[in-house]
Amino acid sequence: MVKLIAFDLDGTLTQHKTKLDDKNRAVLLRLMEMGYKLLMVGAGQCMRIFNQLDGFPIDIIGNYGLQHSVYNAETKTLDTVYDVTLPCDRESVSKRVTAMRNKYGFTEFAGESVEFHPSGCVTFAILGTKAKAEDKLAFDPDRIKRRKIYDDVVNTFPEYTVFVGGSSSFDMAPNPYNKYYALDKYCKEHGYAHDEVVFVGDDYGLGGNDESVYKSDFGFVCVDDYTRLEDYLECLLTSRDYVRK
């Protein structure tokens, strides 16, 4: 019997960086009414996810497990459980990013070459941190360019888990943090067995930030069109049976 349903956000519940719409909000409410425990497991910060969900009452794991917040029904906001900050050797990372740029011809960029996040996560912004939105969207929408060099980036940054992020970047989280690690840790802390959990996500291909869960023993519902979320979750909305991949 499924007890916990964990969700990705962008591309699964919403369009990238857009608010949760009424239709998918209603789907989440139906799942809650059926008795499922719902959980967000995201790549971004907990509060950013909460705001994008327009204040939906749900507990959130952020930054691949570096953050965890729970919904407070009285204050209608989040209470922080933990917020881990890890050190980053910025000089070493910058040198390796520069070497990758020279190797693959990514030498022109706008703004900073690398974005260092307070958590210890890193973004290798191929077009730069101040690139135009239209340029980023046009750079590698099908991720073919970045997947060709993905293994090289992974080997160049062994202390990180590397993800093919957005349309023009590589996102990196300090090892061992990824969505599988975060969800497994949550299950151990809250008494859930893996066969009582289903993850719902869209980014399950090579280098995707849901890939670690997709390739694990957790149940997984693949969402390829967030506007059809209800269709993908029909099995959960009609039955409490375990969902196989």
Side-chain angles (χ1 to χ4, degrees):
M1 179 178 289
V2 175
K3 296 180 180 179
L4 171 67
I5 307 175
F7 289 90
D8 168 58
L9 181 57
D10 288 340
T12 300
L13 297 180
T14 70
Q15 180 60 280
H16 183 62
K17 294 186 178 180
T18 61
K19 296 281 189 179
L20 179 69
D21 62 27
D22 291 341
K23 181 180 177 182
N24 284 352
R25 186 183 186 92
V27 172
L28 295 181
L29 287 171
R30 283 174 60 190
L31 292 170
M32 291 178 69
E33 290 167 358
M34 291 178 68
Y36 294 109
K37 169 67 177 178
L38 304 187
L39 176 71
M40 292 299 306
V41 184
Q45 295 183 340
C46 290
M47 189 54 69
R48 185 192 70 76
I49 294 171
F50 183 67
N51 290 334
Q52 190 173 339
L53 290 170
D54 209 16
F56 188 84
I58 192 170
D59 296 346
I60 301 173
I61 295 174
N63 287 346
Y64 303 105
L66 288 161
Q67 285 187 342
H68 180 204
S69 297
V70 296
Y71 182 75
N72 186 319
E74 293 185 2
T75 62
K76 299 187 185 307
T77 188
L78 297 179
D79 292 337
T80 300
V81 178
Y82 57 78
D83 185 359
V84 178
T85 299
L86 296 177
C88 174
D89 187 340
R90 296 191 176 195
E91 182 179 358
S92 174
V93 169
S94 295
K95 286 181 178 179
R96 283 177 281 169
V97 167
T98 298
M100 295 296 291
R101 287 189 178 281
N102 292 333
K103 183 175 182 179
Y104 292 106
F106 302 139
T107 53
E108 295 185 7
F109 54 91
E112 299 298 323
S113 175
V114 188
E115 183 176 3
F116 296 100
H117 302 278
S119 61
C121 293
V122 174
T123 298
F124 172 9
I126 294 176
L127 300 184
T129 57
K130 294 185 177 180
K132 295 179 181 179
E134 57 267 31
D135 292 339
K136 291 193 289 185
L137 290 172
F139 175 73
D140 188 25
D142 52 13
R143 304 189 176 193
I144 291 176
K145 294 178 182 178
R146 285 168 295 159
R147 282 177 173 160
K148 284 182 178 179
I149 66 172
Y150 176 72
D151 287 344
D152 195 8
V153 178
V154 169
N155 292 330
T156 301
F157 297 93
E159 74 272 39
Y160 290 95
T161 304
V162 179
F163 309 100
V164 179
S167 57
S168 62
S169 64
F170 289 102
D171 296 330
M172 299 186 284
N175 285 328
Y177 290 92
N178 59 35
K179 289 187 179 181
Y180 172 81
Y181 175 85
L183 185 55
D184 178 63
K185 182 174 184 289
Y186 182 91
C187 289
K188 290 175 179 175
E189 292 174 346
H190 294 83
Y192 291 100
H194 283 204
D195 61 5
E196 296 174 328
V197 180
V198 169
F199 187 91
V200 184
D202 74 305
D203 198 7
Y204 52 86
L206 178 65
N209 64 36
D210 299 330
E211 183 189 17
S212 61
V213 186
Y214 177 72
K215 295 171 69 174
S216 76
D217 59 339
F218 283 114
F220 197 103
V221 175
C222 300
V223 175
D224 297 315
D225 179 358
Y226 81 95
T227 66
R228 296 179 51 235
L229 177 69
E230 186 174 8
D231 296 335
Y232 294 111
L233 297 181
E234 181 180 3
C235 50
L236 288 165
L237 291 165
T238 58
S239 172
R240 295 296 297 271
D241 290 337
Y242 181 70
V243 179
R244 296 290 179 182
K245 293 174 183 172

